[in-house]
Amino acid sequence: MVETVKQQIHEQIRIVQERIAQAAQRVGRRPEEVRLIAVTKTHPVEFVVAALEAGITDIGENRVQEAVAKFGALRLTPIAQQVKPRFHLIGHLQTNKAKLAVEWFHLIHSLDSTKLADELEKHAATRGRMCEVLIQVNVSGEETKFGIEPVQVRSLVEHILQECPHLVVRGFMTMAPFEAIAEATRPHFRKLRELRDSLLQQFCGCERFLAHELSMGMTNDYEVAIEEGATMVRIGSAIFGVRAAH
């Protein structure tokens, strides 16, 4: 990798981390409450290595097959063996990719149906392991967005708790509409936080409903998301630049 590219990635990570800290402090939160997920889709393994060298511990990918090839190569690098990064699936998951997702990802952000929950349960049970998930909610109602409708979330949670003993619900994920002014995304993030808080009360005491995480906010709007309670932000282009055509 060209040294200047590595330096650029390191500097961009520093800037993003600084802005995360400032956003958290504006609303009385600690910066450590927000996990930075570096989204490396379409970028080469060398870029991921540079991010790990800069202190990143969480890597996000959109496509399962692309991720598996990349993670396989990444695991052979000394920095990955040292850091042992957590892998996040942040893109839409088809049921026919559920087996690979269970095998490779530490956290799946995009559970959005009982059918997918059942498929993940089947493969987690086969492997004898717990599968940690976030429920993706389409709070904006956009037809182009994946995710379950807010009114359907409770029934999905009930299904998971009753029928999927190998799934652990860690929280919720959403994607806000792209807005020219980031402030316009605030109502969507607030809605997800309020939904999370309500469900935590309803399912208080359920040992596999540990839904404190809110995965929300990307390059365009992550500071607003943090102000509204995000515990995970998914940042790609602000770290690695505009991604390659895919």
Side-chain angles (χ1 to χ4, degrees):
M1 170 183 265
V2 179
E3 192 65 25
T4 53
V5 175
K6 181 190 291 188
Q7 291 171 349
Q8 287 172 355
I9 291 173
H10 287 198
E11 175 63 10
Q12 291 303 114
I13 289 171
R14 185 194 66 77
I15 291 170
V16 169
Q17 289 173 329
E18 190 173 275
R19 290 175 66 177
I20 287 172
Q22 291 170 350
Q25 289 163 356
R26 280 198 295 272
V27 291
R29 300 180 65 198
R30 293 179 297 111
E32 310 88 75
E33 295 175 18
V34 184
R35 186 183 295 267
L36 171 55
I37 299 172
V39 180
T40 58
K41 58 183 179 182
T42 77
H43 294 297
V45 171
E46 291 77 14
F47 281 32
V48 188
V49 167
L52 296 180
E53 290 173 345
I56 291 294
T57 57
D58 293 81
I59 302 298
E61 282 284 337
N62 276 53
R63 295 183 173 89
V64 174
Q65 286 174 303
E66 177 187 345
V68 168
K70 189 180 297 183
F71 294 163
L74 183 67
R75 283 182 170 178
L76 300 176
T77 64
I79 186 65
Q81 292 171 9
Q82 175 187 331
V83 173
K84 294 182 171 55
R86 284 173 53 86
F87 299 138
H88 299 253
L89 179 62
I90 63 173
H92 179 62
L93 176 59
Q94 297 173 312
T95 54
N96 63 355
K97 302 292 194 305
K99 182 175 184 289
L100 281 175
V102 169
E103 290 174 3
W104 282 88
F105 290 94
H106 295 88
L107 183 63
I108 295 169
H109 291 228
S110 47
L111 174 56
D112 61 359
S113 70
T114 55
K115 180 181 178 183
L116 180 56
D118 291 342
E119 198 69 15
L120 292 171
E121 165 63 26
K122 179 177 73 175
H123 294 296
T126 299
R127 291 180 65 83
R129 56 160 290 189
M130 303 302 288
C131 177
E132 299 196 347
V133 300
L134 303 181
I135 294 174
Q136 182 173 358
V137 186
N138 184 355
V139 293
S140 68
E142 287 184 289
E143 292 185 2
T144 56
K145 293 276 195 300
F146 290 108
I148 191 169
E149 293 181 18
V151 296
Q152 298 175 325
V153 173
R154 180 188 172 115
S155 63
L156 177 54
V157 171
E158 289 175 339
H159 177 84
I160 292 168
L161 295 177
Q162 293 168 10
E163 305 295 336
C164 305
H166 292 85
L167 299 192
V168 179
V169 180
R170 287 287 178 184
F172 301 91
M173 184 269 263
T174 198
M175 295 177 63
F178 182 86
E179 300 281 1
I181 301 174
E183 181 63 28
T185 61
R186 189 177 299 276
H188 304 292
F189 297 138
R190 182 172 296 163
K191 185 174 182 179
L192 187 66
R193 172 170 52 83
E194 290 172 347
L195 176 64
R196 187 275 313 267
D197 292 348
S198 172
L199 290 166
L200 279 174
Q201 286 188 324
Q202 292 176 42
F203 294 97
C204 179
C206 297
E207 63 179 18
R208 289 185 295 106
F209 189 73
L210 308 172
H212 297 282
E213 304 288 0
L214 289 175
S215 171
M216 54 189 198
M218 299 188 293
T219 291
N220 189 57
D221 53 23
Y222 68 92
E223 289 163 288
V224 175
I226 290 168
E227 291 174 357
E228 289 299 328
T231 65
M232 298 178 178
V233 292
R234 311 179 302 271
I235 311 297
S237 57
I239 293 175
F240 302 107
V242 178
R243 61 181 183 268
H246 199 66

